Amino acid sequence: MDYDLNKIIEKASSVKLPGGVFGKTCTVLIVVSLAMFGIAWTARNVWISSAALIMIFILVFIMLWRLINFANKNPQAAILEGSEFLLHEHMQLAAKGIPHLPKIPTLYMEDKPIQIEPEQLQSLNTPDENAGEREVVNG
Amino acid sequence: MASGKYIQVYLDPKQGIMMETIEKTMNIAVDWFRYSDTNWVVYTTSDINKWHGRLKKFADPDGNLFICELNINNRNGWMTKDFWVWLRKDR
């Protein structure tokens, strides 16, 4: 089969990956996969080649699975670079005259702490009155 | 002196709008607090339509803008301490 390696590399280099954990890990995955493929290609031993190809499949499958899960839970961290991420975090909390407010988990609280009685706990998931009138397709 | 009220502003700006530009407009208000990159609680003496006029340029054509009055007397939630302090301020 005729193929031009330079053209393939040129096309691969034009693929734009976002930054952040997602972009970095994808780059590493591509490099590792290419290295494994190189080993599989040059080994001339069916067992080594098969093992390398299986390892590429397992590695890519597991890493992409974990990356997508991570990106679902932390979309900003997944695609933003370190400094961009910090800037984004800074941009979240502010007030007039106070450009940056700290976003510290221990500083989060209720305005008026509430006590929920055990019998009230059971009613938390009770739907509102008339809530069942509309059909829920994504419920 | 006109009495102020609280409004909730959700502003997801169109591409290319800097946060500083939005803050400059928000500073027209008596006071404001931004609790996420797109959500603001504003204490103002102006009405909703005036705020719509002020902020529309940041959202039009492909951003999002939602403004409504906010009754902070009936409130609770899980927010940073700074937010509650800001909300309880005497105005």
Side-chain angles (χ1 to χ4, degrees):
Chain A
M1 195 171 86
D2 284 344
Y3 64 90
D4 187 344
L5 191 61
N6 284 334
K7 272 191 181 167
I8 294 172
I9 292 170
E10 206 173 286
K11 275 188 183 166
S13 65
S14 68
V15 173
K16 292 265 184 282
L17 290 171
V21 176
F22 200 89
K24 294 278 190 292
T25 314
C26 282
T27 310
V28 171
L29 267 183
I30 290 169
V31 171
V32 171
S33 299
L34 285 175
M36 294 283 222
F37 182 75
I39 293 168
W41 185 261
T42 53
R44 306 285 178 205
N45 177 315
V46 71
W47 293 107
I48 296 174
S49 301
S50 305
L53 291 176
I54 290 169
M55 280 181 76
I56 292 176
F57 177 77
I58 293 171
L59 181 77
V60 170
F61 184 80
I62 292 173
M63 288 306 290
L64 282 182
W65 182 273
R66 296 207 61 183
L67 269 179
I68 288 167
N69 278 341
F70 178 80
N72 259 336
K73 287 175 189 163
N74 313 282
Q76 279 91 21
I79 58 165
L80 294 177
E81 291 292 329
S83 55
E84 290 171 338
F85 184 63
L86 282 178
L87 185 68
H88 178 264
E89 289 290 292
H90 273 147
M91 270 167 46
Q92 291 195 338
L93 288 181
K96 188 176 182 180
I98 313 168
H100 306 304
L101 284 165
K103 197 182 174 198
I104 304 165
T106 51
L107 289 181
Y108 278 72
M109 57 194 283
E110 290 166 325
D111 183 37
K112 299 158 194 155
I114 52 168
Q115 288 293 325
I116 299 176
E117 302 298 326
E119 56 270 20
Q120 285 179 306
L121 269 177
Q122 288 177 347
S123 68
L124 289 181
N125 291 328
T126 307
D128 286 353
E129 231 176 283
N130 304 331
E133 283 179 2
R134 182 176 290 181
E135 191 185 347
V136 183
V137 287
N138 57 349
Chain B
M1 197 176 120
S3 64
K5 58 180 171 288
Y6 291 88
I7 60 170
Q8 156 70 32
V9 175
Y10 168 76
L11 173 57
D12 175 19
K14 65 185 176 188
Q15 290 251 321
I17 299 292
M18 302 292 289
M19 191 62 90
E20 290 78 24
T21 318
I22 301 171
E23 283 181 3
K24 211 176 268 181
T25 299
M26 289 295 189
N27 284 339
I28 301 170
V30 181
D31 208 355
W32 57 260
F33 191 102
R34 187 177 65 236
Y35 60 92
S36 81
D37 49 357
T38 50
N39 283 289
W40 313 63
V41 176
V42 180
Y43 184 72
T44 179
T45 53
S46 303
D47 63 21
I48 298 279
N49 287 339
K50 207 167 186 179
W51 277 103
H52 175 59
R54 287 169 178 169
L55 298 172
K56 189 186 168 194
K57 58 181 180 283
F58 300 131
D60 191 14
D62 57 351
N64 289 286
L65 174 64
F66 174 71
I67 309 167
C68 71
E69 280 193 31
L70 197 61
N71 174 11
I72 65 155
N73 296 321
N74 189 9
R75 64 170 189 256
N76 213 333
W78 187 256
M79 299 290 278
T80 180
K81 191 180 172 189
D82 291 315
F83 178 76
W84 299 122
V85 170
W86 182 86
L87 217 55
R88 289 182 203 132
K89 249 195 241 178
D90 280 333
R91 300 179 200 279

